[in-house]
Amino acid sequence: MNLTLKIWRQKDSKSKGQMVDYKVTEISEHMSFLEMMDVLNEQLVNSGEEPVAFDHDCREGICGMCSMYINGEAHGPDRGVTTCQLHMRMFKDGDTITIEPFRAAAFPVIKDLVVDRMAFERIQQAGGYISVNTSGNTQDANSIPISKHAADEAMDAATCIGCGACVATCKNSSAMLFVGAKVSQFALLPQGQVEAADRVRNMVAQMDLEGFGNCTNTGACEIECPKGISLENIARMNRELMKSTVS
């Protein structure tokens, strides 16, 4: 395939960015999207130009690092995949592909397609964990009965990889699907009950402090989420927050 790429280039967080056009040729439909970007960067380096900066790590849809807004969609036109799992067979010869970073006030651009998602880390640090007694008297997890339904729902919530697609695709730049998933994975299990009230209050407060918007139930976040995190997690987070105010 021969393609035209319109890519957001920005030297650093303080510089003004712009869209720049590039041509790539002989792209195989079997390549992943990031492999296509590698071809472009090799081409740029060989011609003495600055390569396009973009986030990536595992390239297996696990780490949540890759974050491109492709043709107006977080992670591109496929569903249930991250950018690194997107394949070029989703495009046609002669296509023009627009590639931008995830855009949100809480995700400032560092360079080109790389954004700072440390806001998610700070939300996690505010309460996305359980405190465990490691004195040697810790209760074995297998001795705590948990219903299969609760365990399955907790595991579904825990599949969130924190990529930020929910924020990028939301018209309000809301992080409620991410925070809802992180709250839910503990709220559904007995191990998470001890700190439940403090957890949800602290995580929601940090989310607001970071400048994320509010949820208006559009549902775009669930559609674009590569792990299919359900909106039910936002409802659960709201219930947990309400419960925490009367506990």
Side-chain angles (χ1 to χ4, degrees):
M1 290 188 289
N2 298 327
L3 304 165
T4 300
L5 307 177
K6 291 181 175 291
I7 301 178
W8 181 260
R9 300 303 308 263
Q10 185 172 337
K11 184 178 179 181
D12 53 47
S13 59
K14 295 181 175 61
S15 301
K16 185 178 180 180
Q18 62 179 345
M19 300 299 291
V20 178
D21 290 1
Y22 298 100
K23 300 283 188 181
V24 288
T25 60
E26 298 182 6
I27 299 298
S28 168
E29 65 176 8
H30 302 298
M31 284 182 179
S32 72
F33 199 87
L34 295 191
E35 287 172 335
M36 181 275 293
M37 292 295 296
D38 291 338
V39 170
L40 170 65
N41 276 346
E42 184 176 3
Q43 177 180 305
L44 292 175
V45 169
N46 288 340
S47 61
E49 298 180 59
E50 182 80 13
V52 178
F54 60 91
D55 267 331
H56 63 99
D57 192 358
C58 74
R59 298 199 178 203
E60 294 180 350
I62 298 170
C63 69
M65 283 294 292
C66 55
S67 52
M68 294 185 192
Y69 208 68
I70 303 163
N71 285 349
E73 297 179 89
H75 294 306
D78 208 350
R79 288 292 172 267
V81 299
T82 55
T83 301
C84 63
Q85 294 174 301
L86 179 68
H87 281 81
M88 297 311 297
R89 54 180 168 268
M90 297 298 297
F91 303 94
K92 301 188 298 294
D93 182 41
D95 275 358
T96 296
I97 305 173
T98 302
I99 309 168
E100 300 173 81
F102 280 1
R103 297 196 183 277
F107 288 169
V109 174
I110 297 173
K111 182 178 181 180
D112 295 339
L113 305 176
V114 179
V115 298
D116 182 355
R117 285 171 286 180
M118 281 301 294
F120 273 10
E121 298 300 322
R122 290 188 289 270
I123 292 170
Q124 282 281 74
Q125 291 165 10
Y129 54 85
I130 58 171
S131 299
V132 178
N133 181 347
T134 57
S135 64
N137 298 318
T138 308
Q139 187 175 3
D140 192 293
N142 289 331
S143 68
I144 305 172
I146 302 170
S147 71
K148 185 178 188 306
H149 179 70
D152 286 347
E153 285 198 316
M155 184 60 72
D156 287 344
T159 59
C160 170
I161 57 176
C163 66
C166 51
V167 174
T169 199
C170 176
K171 62 183 180 182
N172 306 319
S173 297
S174 172
M176 290 186 75
L177 190 68
F178 166 77
V179 180
K182 298 306 178 183
V183 167
S184 290
Q185 74 182 70
F186 296 116
L188 287 158
L189 301 175
Q191 293 93 332
Q193 298 308 309
V194 178
E195 298 164 301
D198 287 341
R199 175 183 301 109
V200 68
R201 283 197 299 261
N202 292 341
M203 293 183 77
V204 170
Q206 187 65 39
M207 174 183 70
D208 292 340
L209 187 64
E210 296 292 346
F212 292 105
N214 288 319
C215 173
T216 49
N217 296 315
T218 303
C221 55
E222 181 178 347
I223 293 171
E224 298 290 353
C225 175
K227 300 302 176 182
I229 302 296
S230 172
L231 287 175
E232 292 178 3
N233 291 293
I234 296 178
R236 184 177 295 106
M237 179 187 71
N238 288 333
R239 290 196 299 272
E240 290 292 316
L241 184 60
M242 187 171 292
K243 279 166 52 181
S244 76
T245 63
V246 295
S247 59

